[in-house]
Amino acid sequence: MKSNIGKMIKGSPFKREYIQKELNVSRNTLSNWCTGKTHPSAPELFKLAELLGCKVDDLYETEKNPPN
């Protein structure tokens, strides 16, 4: 799965620092979500989607040719 979290945050009116505070996560955690190194828990996904005004489905997309 490819993370769209970084793209969604860039398109939002919020700064990363605000999102970190709202979700009670570290800068490193949010960065890892944006790059796809780690993934938010289900409750965090829903809270992030609500904050960004999008659907949970918008935060990720399936890759056509996933790496081996």
Side-chain angles (χ1 to χ4, degrees):
M1 291 182 44
K2 180 182 174 200
S3 174
N4 290 329
I5 294 173
K7 183 170 66 172
M8 298 299 290
I9 290 173
K10 282 183 184 177
S12 80
F14 305 113
K15 294 186 181 229
R16 284 186 178 215
E17 292 81 11
Y18 175 79
I19 293 169
Q20 290 165 210
K21 189 179 282 189
E22 286 295 306
L23 296 176
N24 195 32
V25 296
S26 70
R27 179 175 178 240
N28 192 45
T29 296
L30 185 59
S31 178
N32 286 340
W33 292 354
C34 291
T35 60
K37 288 182 182 176
T38 61
H39 304 288
S41 67
E44 290 167 330
L45 273 173
F46 280 92
K47 189 169 182 180
L48 180 58
E50 182 180 350
L51 183 65
L52 296 175
C54 67
K55 296 184 284 185
V56 171
D57 291 357
D58 296 331
L59 298 175
Y60 285 94
E61 62 185 72
T62 54
E63 295 181 271
K64 292 179 175 68
N65 297 313
N68 293 330

